[in-house]
Amino acid sequence: NEVTVSNDTRFERVSSQLEQNNTLAFVEAFIDNKTCIVAGSTWQEDHVLFGDYIKSSKGDLKFIIAPHKIEKKGVQKLKNSFGDKAVLYTNYNLETLSKKQVLIIDTIGLLTKLYHYAAVAYIGGGMGTKGLHNTLEAAVFGVPIIIGKNYDRFPEAKAMLAQGGLVSVQDTSSFKKSLDSFVEDEDFRHVCGQKNKAYIDKNKGATALITEKILTEITM
């Protein structure tokens, strides 16, 4: 009788992002009204999935990749793997940005706003052993999510997977199949994304509950 279980305050935190100004002029110039896939907090194991897909994709798809580690050597290696298709955030030219297909974010502090522009989000960390990164930051924007194969320690990923808003991939073949299904079917993409948004909305309320309990104790 002395215990109350609340939801996770992280759901409030990511929901507050919707109240911010999430517009980024350089991203809008880069996307140029095309379908955009945002890959956040990625590692080398995640980049393997994207390599062949991007190289063989048409110009009507745009990719924003925000690596988890932004050390210069690794970022440059990633850019070089895509050749002239790619440009670094710290080196873009606004006038020619729309001609590029891959934008690599080699700085911190932009990722939560980038998900605002995602038609599909890929969350890194799950293909290796580093640990899956924050799926809630993308889910709040109502976009479908793709993750890697290692997510056992992440209950929110399991929940969104069960509800149909998130898919887990094992290799490049399953990655291509999953991403193609989202890219080619806008209605399917929307339905899956809204399932993630509903999951966020359903689990809000922790802050109000905690505040209520504290105020109750103070006034007793």
Side-chain angles (χ1 to χ4, degrees), residues 35 37 50-63 82 85 101-102 176 179-180 183:
T35 301
I37 289 84
F50 278 90
D52 290 340
Y53 192 98
I54 293 178
K55 290 173 186 176
S56 62
S57 66
K58 299 177 181 178
D60 56 351
L61 280 183
K62 297 282 187 160
F63 298 85
F82 299 119
K85 286 187 173 185
Q101 191 176 10
V102 183
K176 182 180 187 307
L179 186 50
D180 280 347
V183 168

Side-chain angles (χ1 to χ4, degrees), residues 2-119:
E2 301 302 321
V3 175
T4 299
V5 178
S6 79
N7 292 332
D8 193 328
T9 54
R10 290 184 304 153
F11 289 93
E12 259 87 18
R13 184 181 67 79
V14 296
S15 295
S16 68
Q17 187 65 37
L18 298 178
E19 301 170 7
Q20 309 297 319
N21 179 2
N22 293 300
T23 57
L24 295 168
F26 75 92
V27 174
E28 294 179 3
F30 167 70
I31 294 174
D32 194 27
N33 296 314
K34 295 180 173 65
T35 301
C36 181
I37 289 84
V38 175
S41 299
T42 55
W43 295 81
Q44 176 58 34
E45 298 90 343
D46 304 301
H47 299 157
V48 171
L49 298 181
F50 278 90
D52 290 340
Y53 192 98
I54 293 178
K55 290 173 186 176
S56 62
S57 66
K58 299 177 181 178
D60 56 351
L61 280 183
K62 297 282 187 160
F63 298 85
I64 298 177
I65 303 176
H68 183 72
K69 293 183 70 174
I70 55 173
E71 53 92 18
K72 187 174 182 179
K73 184 177 179 180
V75 169
Q76 190 63 46
K77 180 180 178 181
L78 177 62
K79 177 188 178 297
N80 291 345
S81 69
F82 299 119
D84 291 338
K85 286 187 173 185
V87 62
L88 299 179
Y89 166 72
T90 56
N91 196 37
Y92 77 80
N93 182 325
L94 192 61
E95 294 181 1
T96 59
L97 190 55
S98 64
K99 297 179 182 179
K100 300 294 183 178
Q101 191 176 10
V102 183
L103 175 60
I104 299 171
I105 307 299
D106 54 340
T107 187
I108 61 174
L110 293 174
L111 185 55
T112 53
K113 291 178 181 286
L114 294 175
Y115 287 131
H116 167 66
Y117 293 96

Side-chain angles (χ1 to χ4, degrees), residues 11 14-19 135-145 160 163-166 189-204:
F11 289 93
V14 296
S15 295
S16 68
Q17 187 65 37
L18 298 178
E19 301 170 7
T135 53
L136 302 182
E137 290 178 339
V140 74
F141 287 104
V143 298
I145 294 171
M160 286 188 280
Q163 293 177 16
L166 175 150
R189 193 165 72 221
H190 176 76
V191 168
C192 292
Q194 289 306 301
K195 289 179 180 178
N196 289 337
K197 181 64 168 61
Y199 172 69
I200 298 290
D201 291 340
K202 180 182 178 181
N203 284 281
K204 291 190 299 185

